[in-house]
Amino acid sequence: MKAIATTLLACLLPVLPAAAQDPAPSKKPIKIYIIAGQSNAEQRGSMDWMRETWPEYGKEDPKLWHFHPGAKPPSPINGETYDKFGIEFVPGIEISKRVENDVIFVATATGGTTLRSNWTPPTGAKRIGCEVGPLYVRMFQRTFDLIKNIEEIYPRYAGQDFEIAGIIWFQGENDSLSYGNFPFYQDLFIDFINDVRKDFGVPDLPIFICKINDAWCERIGGGEVIRRANENAIQKLHNVEATVSYTHLTLPTMIIRCRSRWAP
């Protein structure tokens, strides 16, 4: 498990020793991570359950923040308005331990959405003759709005620069259940990664994929197609890593799965 966790952390940040938990803002660039995908990536876990089960994760880290525009005020992870945890929780804690930088996670995931319609990247949209996905556009709007208005939004801002540091992508279930969607997934996913890197201006942007589970996603065979598309991206593109979830992360088992992969 330790080897797996080290690999995942290496995908999203350099291998560094644990950083001191200094409450003062670092002068280093703020690391911005984006959570994208569908319901697996949303905040669905009970914080009460988490604190009772994993009390070591119950301490507020002043330099680790979560932004969910339109849903709740900005908050430190484990802060007052952080009442549900999502896929960002354990990775965020482990990343923050290893860097001096402030770390911000931006929530852009929405349940029940597809790459074929909702997250369609510009290159893929042009190729198959459709509009760019509204959630693809919103992902950039939310991220750039944060950067543009950082002085008003982020109370720890002290003139630091910014770094788009990575994307955690957990998506594919709804595409896997549609014959009209999953045959397009492999090419669209390559387009998605290439377009995201181009549009953010970060050619080496780390992409970490949480693969969909192998249970109900196999109703018509689409789940395996989605997972092969993930593997194809890993083989063809650089700085892309993945793990298998085995579970829909609306369940409390999310913290256990994430902990086994992210916490050495």
Side-chain angles (χ1 to χ4, degrees), residues 1-13 208 241-242 261-262:
M1 289 298 182
K2 183 174 181 179
I4 295 174
T6 302
T7 300
L8 301 190
L9 285 166
C11 172
L12 291 177
L13 77 168
F208 182 74
E241 298 286 346
R261 286 163 170 77
W262 289 90

Side-chain angles (χ1 to χ4, degrees), residues 118 132-142:
N118 307 107
V132 175
L135 296 186
Y136 182 92
V137 175
R138 190 185 72 175
M139 173 174 61
F140 287 90
Q141 289 175 336
R142 287 187 173 183

Side-chain angles (χ1 to χ4, degrees), residues 30 32 67 69 104 106 139-154 157 159-164 200:
I30 297 171
I32 298 175
F67 286 75
I104 297 174
V106 181
M139 173 174 61
F140 287 90
Q141 289 175 336
R142 287 187 173 183
T143 305
F144 291 137
D145 283 349
L146 166 64
I147 293 172
K148 179 181 178 180
N149 301 298
I150 191 72
E151 293 186 57
E152 292 77 29
I153 295 175
Y154 189 47
Y157 181 69
Q160 307 98 310
D161 203 350
F162 306 91
E163 173 189 355
I164 307 299
F200 273 127

Side-chain angles (χ1 to χ4, degrees), residues 222-242:
E224 183 58 30
V225 174
I226 303 300
R227 288 189 293 277
R228 286 201 303 267
N230 297 150
E231 287 299 324
N232 177 67
I234 294 170
Q235 295 298 321
K236 289 188 174 181
L237 303 175
H238 64 286
N239 220 13
V240 181
E241 298 286 346

Side-chain angles (χ1 to χ4, degrees), residues 170-173 176 210-214 217 223 226-227 244-245:
F170 201 161
Q171 194 278 333
E173 288 184 352
S176 78
C210 293
K211 295 182 184 178
I212 60 174
N213 67 71
D214 55 0
C217 290
I226 303 300
R227 288 189 293 277
V244 181
S245 69

Side-chain angles (χ1 to χ4, degrees), residues 51-64:
R51 292 187 180 105
E52 291 175 3
T53 308
W54 305 105
E56 65 268 36
Y57 287 141
K59 183 179 179 181
E60 181 178 322
D61 180 349
K63 69 184 183 70
L64 175 60

